[in-house]
Amino acid sequence: MGNNGADAAGKDPLGSLLGDCTGGITAAILAIPGNMVCGLIAFAPLGPEYAKYGIISAMLVSVFTGITAGALGSIRSLITGPQVSTAIIFASVIERLLRTGPFPAGDGRAMTVLLAMAFGAVLLSGVMQALLSVFRAGKLIRYIPYPVIAAIFDSTAILIIGGQLTSIVKVARTVAWIGTPATEILARLGQFDAFQVEITLFTFVVCLVVGFLARKLPAPLIALLAGCAAFYGLEYAFFHDRFDAAFAGVRPTAMTFSFDIVRSYPAFLAAKYRPLYGMIAYSALSIAVIGSLDTLFAGMSLSATLQKKHRGNQDLFGQGIGNVVGSLMGAIPGEGFLTRTMVNHEAGGSTFISVAVYGGVVFAIVFFLNGYLTLIPKPVISGIMLHTGLRIVDAWSLRLPIKLVTARMRDKKEIFLNILVIGSVIAVSLAFDLITAVFVGLALSIATFFGQMNEDIIRRIYTGRIVHSKKARNRRCTALLEKYGGCIAAMELEGALFFGSAVAVAEHLDRVVDGRFRFIILDFRRVTRVDVSGVKMLQTIAKKLGAMDIGLLLGSVSGTSGLQLYVNDFKFLGGTGKVKAFPDADYALEYAEDQVLKEHGEDPANSGSMELEGCLVSYGFDTAQAARLLGYFEGRELKKGSFVFRERSKGTSLYVLTAGLAEAVIAIPEQRRHRRIGTYSPGTMFGETALLDGGERTMTVRLMEKSVVHRLSKVKFNLMRKKDPSLAFHLLAIINGISAEKLREAYEVIAEFEKG
């Protein structure tokens, strides 16, 4: 269910209602400092006389945007509020309109139209969010690389901290630092009010200390109360006249300004405002993208806490419609707010009622106390904003320069690219504005995506001389493969296979393939996606290899997205002659080995039969020892499908296969399937470990055809130790040798893979 009302299904209705009220009130009280900060940021370009309107506009997000989003979203207890990042984008919209539009300073009517256009960007961003959800495109936003997101956070932090510092020392952002004499810069830096700087630093320190020592306490709210107490306490003590004047001028702010803005929407349809439409749309997309990220992140985090399925598109639709409604009521952009939602949840809020209470409390504060909100001293707000800026700095991005120095060489490229992306977005945000920075970030996201798509699809390459198939063969066949297996090359692919990456495979084959190769195996197990152009390029590769009398073997075809379909559609296997497909790369390798053995006089397909004595001699016994050992084995003929032993069963016997074929598999319970780990042909000894330790079998061995299996039991082995200890000792030496050989082969395979 998308409704969180199910959470309260098993609760007492009165208790659930009380929890919703408590959660909503708590979240509303904690929202006040953050809303004020965002409102002041959003309206900062208009000057201090518009600060009160900015605060009201930010508070209205919690009312109209929040209640609408909560009613329509999948998580009804999701709290909405303004975020610093989108508040800065909104401020950038106002700043651009002031700089480029026909809005003369001091013209109240022009300012109302300007605000109508800015809120029009919020309305359009809401429409974009709703459309993203309707077309199920919301999930695409999740693929924005984290370095871009981190850069947006860092840019926001720098803009907040830089803005507050320049405000504190009374230096305008337009000061020409380059070319200005140092004495003049120092003189300007000295033009600040020491009292206000002290209050700012005091508020900032309170935020830091409370946040560090008591993480569950609302640091901004406590700092707000402490800062106001310190400011007015000192003013009362030392500047009594200023104290009286501040409270004497308290007047409620008219709540009708939002209606004035709404009535001005038709005005910006005039021809003189049309050149600004592109910038409005451009800004709306920035707000939509950043706001969607915040909403999706908050929704996913809360879904994990509530153990509910996350319906991101529904949350995005609710948030979009919420921004449309909010913009019509004079609210700046709003997004899902994770910290406030968690406060609401921890205080007992679990249904839409908590969101309605949250919005109602904030509206009551705005309606009855809006005049007193203007009494909150600016240095107190500056201290809270400095702390906010510090908190949103991305810690991961700060560690990247250190990682660049300490990381392994192969990781330095990735780290450097991350630093380059973050640095580029930050530089653009400082040189231009956050709107442009967001679009630069999106462009870098696209470039990064295509860069990853074009990364080398070849994961590793190995030859059949080092890596053998899982089919256990007799000593003679194994020796032949170690000598001639180099004519088999396997290429393990990883990522997406499209035209560009398939061309990279073809170019690599052109460089390395020569007359010594007989088979090329392409392993598609880690290929995530295949498109038509990639398969067409594979056909070209197959034809080129076929002309060189080299067979192309495709492994893991059935498990690769799209490949099986395209192979069938293009008659890939039938049209090229020397192309074959297999369930996995190991079967392909086994097939290639069989062909190599045939070319050198062995017939692996002919299971036939071997004498037990000959098998034992091939393992290192002399004929006399083998003859003595025969008496301790018990031979049995078993039909196809019989089990020699099963996984997890107790085992105490060693086996030798002298006729037929057997397959060893292990179970993968979570995938409800079995994985082949080996195929045993005549002359293979297996199950030797259980003869020594009597432990559980680690695999299942099943006969693939009518077979003859010889068994040496623990009882017979103990008898051998008493009657013929030298023979028993030699058998133990042979078993140790088999184990050592298996370890050596494993180490060689690991070493071969490490080279890739």
Side-chain angles (χ1 to χ4, degrees):
M1 292 177 64
N3 195 323
N4 282 79
D7 295 345
K11 296 182 181 178
D12 171 52
L14 184 59
S16 176
L17 179 62
L18 181 61
D20 284 330
C21 292
T22 304
I25 292 170
T26 305
I29 293 172
L30 297 183
I32 294 171
N35 284 5
M36 292 181 64
V37 167
C38 291
L40 291 171
I41 290 173
F43 278 61
L46 296 175
E49 62 271 21
Y50 279 86
K52 55 187 177 182
Y53 297 112
I55 293 173
I56 293 174
S57 185
M59 294 292 184
L60 294 179
V61 174
S62 300
V63 183
F64 299 106
T65 310
I67 291 176
T68 305
L72 298 177
S74 67
I75 301 176
R76 301 294 172 82
S77 57
L78 182 65
I79 296 293
T80 295
Q83 295 274 22
V84 171
S85 53
T86 46
I88 288 183
I89 295 176
F90 186 86
S92 299
V93 175
I94 293 177
E95 191 173 15
R96 282 190 170 195
L97 289 172
L98 285 171
R99 190 173 66 248
T100 61
F103 303 107
D107 186 339
R109 174 61 182 163
M111 290 299 103
T112 302
V113 176
L114 180 147
L115 284 173
M117 295 192 76
F119 284 113
V122 180
L123 187 151
L124 185 57
S125 74
V127 172
M128 290 177 177
Q129 287 178 313
L131 289 175
L132 283 173
S133 68
V134 169
F135 291 105
R136 305 285 177 181
K139 61 183 179 181
L140 296 177
I141 297 172
R142 304 177 194 173
Y143 295 107
I144 296 177
Y146 187 75
V148 175
I149 299 172
I152 292 170
F153 285 140
D154 291 341
S155 301
T156 303
I158 292 171
L159 291 171
I160 291 172
I161 295 171
Q164 295 312 303
L165 290 179
T166 54
S167 174
I168 291 170
V169 298
K170 306 292 185 183
V171 177
R173 297 175 72 182
T174 56
V175 169
W177 295 94
I178 299 174
T180 303
T183 52
E184 184 178 342
I185 292 176
L186 292 174
R188 294 190 184 190
L189 291 176
Q191 297 171 5
F192 60 85
D193 187 331
F195 172 65
Q196 299 216 8
V197 172
E198 290 166 1
I199 294 297
T200 300
L201 294 178
F202 171 76
T203 307
F204 174 70
V205 169
V206 171
C207 276
L208 282 180
V209 172
V210 174
F212 181 75
L213 297 179
R215 294 181 180 273
K216 290 190 176 182
L217 293 178
L221 184 60
I222 293 174
L224 176 68
L225 297 175
C228 289
F231 181 88
Y232 284 112
L234 292 172
E235 278 219 331
Y236 184 80
F238 300 104
F239 310 102
H240 199 75
D241 53 338
R242 291 200 321 206
F243 177 85
D244 292 337
F247 281 88
V250 173
R251 292 186 184 86
T253 302
M255 295 291 291
T256 59
F257 86 100
S258 59
F259 300 109
D260 295 335
I261 292 170
V262 172
R263 285 197 297 269
S264 299
Y265 274 131
F268 67 75
L269 297 176
K272 64 178 179 179
Y273 298 122
R274 288 174 188 169
L276 301 173
Y277 290 175
M279 188 273 291
I280 294 296
Y282 180 77
S283 305
L285 183 57
S286 299
I287 295 171
V289 169
I290 300 301
S292 298
L293 281 171
D294 286 329
T295 298
L296 291 173
F297 176 71
M300 284 188 292
S301 300
L302 188 61
S303 294
T305 302
L306 300 177
Q307 297 183 340
K308 288 187 172 293
K309 183 178 180 180
H310 177 233
R311 294 182 174 87
N313 283 305
Q314 185 177 345
D315 288 336
L316 209 54
F317 179 80
Q319 206 67 58
I321 300 302
N323 274 320
V324 170
V325 173
S327 66
L328 295 174
M329 302 305 296
I332 63 174
E335 302 95 51
F337 212 116
L338 179 60
T339 53
R340 295 180 191 178
T341 303
M342 295 309 297
V343 167
N344 176 38
H345 179 68
E346 290 168 3
S350 60
T351 72
F352 173 68
I353 294 175
S354 63
V355 176
V357 170
Y358 162 78
V361 171
V362 172
F363 183 78
I365 291 172
V366 174
F367 189 81
F368 294 107
L369 302 176
N370 67 77
Y372 291 95
L373 293 177
T374 60
L375 288 175
I376 298 176
K378 191 172 186 311
V380 173
I381 296 295
S382 294
I384 296 173
M385 290 174 75
L386 284 174
H387 179 255
T388 302
L390 191 65
R391 282 187 60 204
I392 63 177
V393 171
D394 184 76
W396 171 78
S397 61
L398 293 179
R399 292 192 294 268
L400 284 180
I402 299 173
K403 286 185 177 181
L404 184 64
V405 176
T406 60
R408 293 175 297 180
M409 185 58 66
R410 66 182 181 182
D411 296 328
K412 288 184 182 291
K413 178 184 175 182
E414 178 72 17
I415 296 171
F416 177 76
L417 288 175
N418 288 335
I419 292 174
L420 184 63
V421 169
I422 292 171
S424 300
V425 175
I426 291 175
V428 171
S429 71
L430 296 178
F432 300 97
D433 50 45
L434 195 59
I435 299 172
T436 308
V438 169
F439 274 86
V440 168
L442 292 176
L444 289 172
S445 300
I446 296 171
T448 301
F449 172 76
F450 281 109
Q452 290 172 343
M453 291 284 284
N454 283 291
E455 283 181 356
D456 192 358
I457 192 175
I458 302 170
R459 188 170 186 262
R460 61 169 63 99
I461 300 174
Y462 54 89
T463 68
R465 188 184 65 81
I466 299 296
V467 179
H468 297 158
S469 71
K470 295 171 184 175
K471 183 175 183 178
R473 304 179 187 273
N474 60 43
R475 294 301 181 88
R476 188 172 59 256
C477 291
T478 301
L480 284 172
L481 290 175
E482 287 179 353
K483 184 176 182 180
Y484 299 110
C487 69
I488 305 169
M491 183 179 289
E492 189 176 304
L493 307 180
E494 182 177 45
L497 182 70
F498 59 106
F499 183 77
S501 55
V503 168
V505 173
E507 290 175 346
H508 189 86
L509 289 174
D510 286 341
R511 289 194 299 270
V512 301
V513 171
D514 52 35
R516 64 194 167 111
F517 288 106
R518 291 284 295 109
F519 296 96
I520 300 294
I521 300 171
L522 297 182
D523 183 2
F524 291 89
R525 183 163 63 96
R526 289 182 172 85
V527 172
T528 55
R529 184 178 178 276
V530 177
D531 74 354
V532 178
S533 64
V535 175
K536 295 290 285 183
M537 191 64 203
L538 282 179
Q539 283 187 304
T540 303
I541 293 172
K543 290 177 182 177
K544 185 178 291 187
L545 292 176
M548 300 170 65
D549 199 29
I550 298 174
L552 178 62
L553 310 180
L554 309 179
S556 306
V557 169
S558 59
T560 304
S561 176
L563 184 57
Q564 182 72 61
L565 173 66
Y566 292 136
V567 163
N568 294 336
D569 284 349
F570 289 104
K571 298 182 171 26
F572 197 178
L573 305 181
T576 53
K578 298 183 73 66
V579 180
K580 293 185 180 295
F582 299 87
D584 62 39
D586 187 72
Y587 280 111
L589 182 56
E590 180 182 316
Y591 170 83
E593 289 175 346
D594 288 346
Q595 303 311 304
V596 171
L597 291 173
K598 285 180 182 179
E599 291 174 2
H600 291 86
E602 290 291 331
D603 186 5
N606 180 18
S607 56
S609 63
M610 291 183 65
E611 295 295 331
L612 177 59
E613 184 176 358
C615 294
L616 297 174
V617 169
S618 71
Y619 274 98
F621 294 96
D622 59 32
T623 53
Q625 290 172 326
R628 300 202 319 263
L629 196 56
L630 290 177
Y632 294 98
F633 275 90
E634 173 191 357
R636 294 175 61 193
E637 185 176 273
L638 301 172
K639 64 181 181 179
K640 177 182 178 181
S642 300
F643 290 93
V644 180
F645 51 77
R646 294 178 183 269
E647 188 176 353
R648 297 189 179 280
S649 63
K650 283 288 185 180
T652 57
S653 302
L654 171 151
Y655 296 88
V656 177
L657 184 70
T658 59
L661 207 61
E663 183 178 54
V665 298
I666 58 173
I668 306 177
E670 60 272 16
Q671 297 181 15
R672 297 183 180 180
R673 66 182 183 90
H674 290 79
R675 176 178 294 171
R676 185 183 74 132
I677 62 170
T679 302
Y680 301 145
S681 57
T684 304
M685 183 184 293
F686 58 93
E688 66 277 357
T689 304
L691 181 68
L692 304 180
D693 63 13
E696 289 185 350
R697 298 288 186 182
T698 57
M699 60 188 176
T700 296
V701 176
R702 183 177 61 87
L703 300 178
M704 301 171 68
E705 58 186 56
K706 183 179 177 180
S707 305
V708 176
V709 179
H710 295 265
R711 171 174 171 261
L712 174 63
S713 67
K714 185 75 170 180
V715 174
K716 291 292 185 72
F717 177 68
N718 289 335
L719 182 63
M720 185 196 310
R721 292 173 63 185
K722 292 179 181 179
K723 289 187 174 183
D724 198 342
S726 63
L727 182 62
F729 182 79
H730 193 67
L731 176 60
L732 289 175
I734 295 294
I735 292 173
N736 287 335
I738 293 172
S739 300
E741 186 175 354
K742 289 179 178 178
L743 283 174
R744 178 180 63 80
E745 290 176 354
Y747 287 140
E748 287 178 348
V749 171
I750 293 171
E752 184 75 11
F753 283 170
E754 283 295 321
K755 292 177 185 177

